């Protein structure tokens, strides 16, 4: 099955710094989502981005489907950005809504 | 619209017991998927229900089962609980508009934390 790898596994930043999180996947995808898991465990949707570039405030994401990777950019980080960021994908071989998750990047933003 | 809701939020059980978790999708969403999150295995897909039918299933033993009702609400049941079943159980819903297949955004609920003693 498809493999999803996220890097780095951990990241510590000072407030105000910028960061780039990476998601590599081993097969063609038709669904790619980025999530932020808050301290209470809920997965918050950030982007639905199987290809192309999107921006939402201080966050932006780019997926280069032909090269099988996606990047999540966080600019001017804030302490509230702390948490785990997950990339999840689905392929044409999946029936229905099965998402395959990466292992996540744990981000800690220090004041 | 209200988001995905899950009940209960926290649960403590002992080995050998069974447990039922509930998930109410976003209004109008017809598909509900369930995921298990553990520190060792990460987030893993359990199963998906659509139109009251199981549409897809992950690699979990038969002790894990589910169902979906006509109003799209879903329940997940785990029988003969084991210590390793301690986890955060998340459900997600999506619209399923026509032939969109799996190319739709999934929205997750807050999860149920299950502790098996």
């Amino acid at each position: 099955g498809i493999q999803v790898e996220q890097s780095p596994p951990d990241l510590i930043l000072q407030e105000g710094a910028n960061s780039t999180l990476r998601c590599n996947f081993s097969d063609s995808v038709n669904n790619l989502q980025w999530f932020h898991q808050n301290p209470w465990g809920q997965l918050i949707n950030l982007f639905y981005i199987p290809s192309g570039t999107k921006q939402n405030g201080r966050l932006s994401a780019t997926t280069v489907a032909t090269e099988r990777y996606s990047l999540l950019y966080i600019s001017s980080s804030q302490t509230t950005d702390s948490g785990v960021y997950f990339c999840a994908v689905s392929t044409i071989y999946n029936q229905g809504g099965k998402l395959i998750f990466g292992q996540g990047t744990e981000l800690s933003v220090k004041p | 619209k209200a988001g995905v809701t899950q009940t209960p939020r926290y649960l403590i059980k002992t080995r050998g017991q069974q447990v039922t978790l509930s998930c109410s999708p976003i209004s109008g969403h017809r598909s509900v998927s369930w995921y298990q999150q553990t520190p060792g295995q990460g987030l893993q897909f359990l199963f998906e229900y659509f139109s009251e039918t199981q549409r897809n299933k992950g690699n979990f033993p038969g002790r894990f089962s589910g169902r979906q009702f006509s109003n799209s609400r879903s329940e997940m049941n785990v029988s003969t609980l084991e210590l390793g079943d301690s986890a955060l159980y998340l459900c997600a819903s999506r619209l399923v508009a026509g032939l969109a297949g799996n190319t739709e955004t999934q929205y997750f609920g807050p999860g149920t934390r299950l502790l098996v003693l």
Side-chain angles (χ1 to χ4, degrees):
Chain A
I2 190 169
Q3 303 297 313
V4 182
E5 294 183 359
Q6 291 186 242
S7 59
D10 304 282
L11 188 57
I12 300 174
L13 299 174
Q14 286 298 127
E15 202 166 26
N18 302 329
S19 61
T20 301
L21 282 56
R22 187 177 180 102
C23 172
N24 291 335
F25 41 93
S26 60
D27 204 342
S28 299
V29 301
N30 57 6
N31 185 340
L32 189 148
Q33 292 184 238
W34 281 99
F35 297 92
H36 175 211
Q37 188 166 40
N38 65 23
W40 297 271
Q42 182 155 13
L43 288 171
I44 308 299
N45 289 71
L46 297 177
F47 295 102
Y48 168 80
I49 188 167
S51 64
T53 297
K54 290 185 178 180
Q55 180 157 4
N56 184 3
R58 296 182 296 104
L59 303 181
S60 63
T62 295
T63 298
V64 184
T66 53
E67 296 188 21
R68 299 183 182 170
Y69 72 88
S70 182
L71 302 174
L72 177 68
Y73 305 96
I74 305 174
S75 64
S76 303
S77 59
Q78 301 174 358
T79 55
T80 52
D81 295 331
S82 295
V84 185
Y85 289 80
F86 288 100
C87 161
V89 305
S90 188
T91 77
I92 60 172
Y93 308 110
N94 288 346
Q95 295 299 313
K98 177 180 179 179
L99 287 175
I100 308 299
F101 281 81
Q103 288 300 105
T105 291
E106 183 161 9
L107 174 65
S108 179
V109 181
K110 305 297 187 185
Chain B
K1 279 186 180 178
V4 179
T5 59
Q6 292 186 244
T7 57
R9 295 294 310 279
Y10 304 92
L11 207 48
I12 300 175
K13 293 285 188 178
T14 56
R15 279 182 299 173
Q17 287 186 310
Q18 74 166 20
V19 67
T20 300
L21 312 182
S22 180
C23 173
S24 292
I26 291 171
S27 177
H29 283 197
R30 299 189 289 164
S31 161
V32 173
S33 296
W34 289 88
Y35 294 81
Q36 181 197 63
Q37 185 177 23
T38 59
Q41 299 299 316
L43 277 151
Q44 294 184 288
F45 173 79
L46 278 156
F47 32 63
E48 180 191 18
Y49 284 86
F50 172 69
S51 291
E52 302 178 59
T53 302
Q54 188 179 91
R55 188 168 175 172
N56 202 354
K57 191 177 191 308
N59 295 324
F60 280 83
R63 300 185 297 106
F64 292 81
S65 63
R67 60 177 175 169
Q68 186 181 36
F69 302 94
S70 58
N71 62 357
S72 294
R73 188 177 71 85
S74 177
E75 287 181 349
M76 189 191 89
N77 185 77
V78 187
S79 63
T80 319
L81 284 166
E82 300 177 359
L83 296 180
D85 297 333
S86 295
L88 176 65
Y89 291 89
L90 295 161
C91 81
S93 77
R94 64 191 181 100
L95 181 62
V96 190
L99 299 176
N102 58 2
T103 59
E104 291 176 319
T105 301
Q106 291 199 36
Y107 298 90
F108 281 78
T112 295
R113 289 193 183 273
L114 171 64
L115 176 62
V116 183
L117 301 175

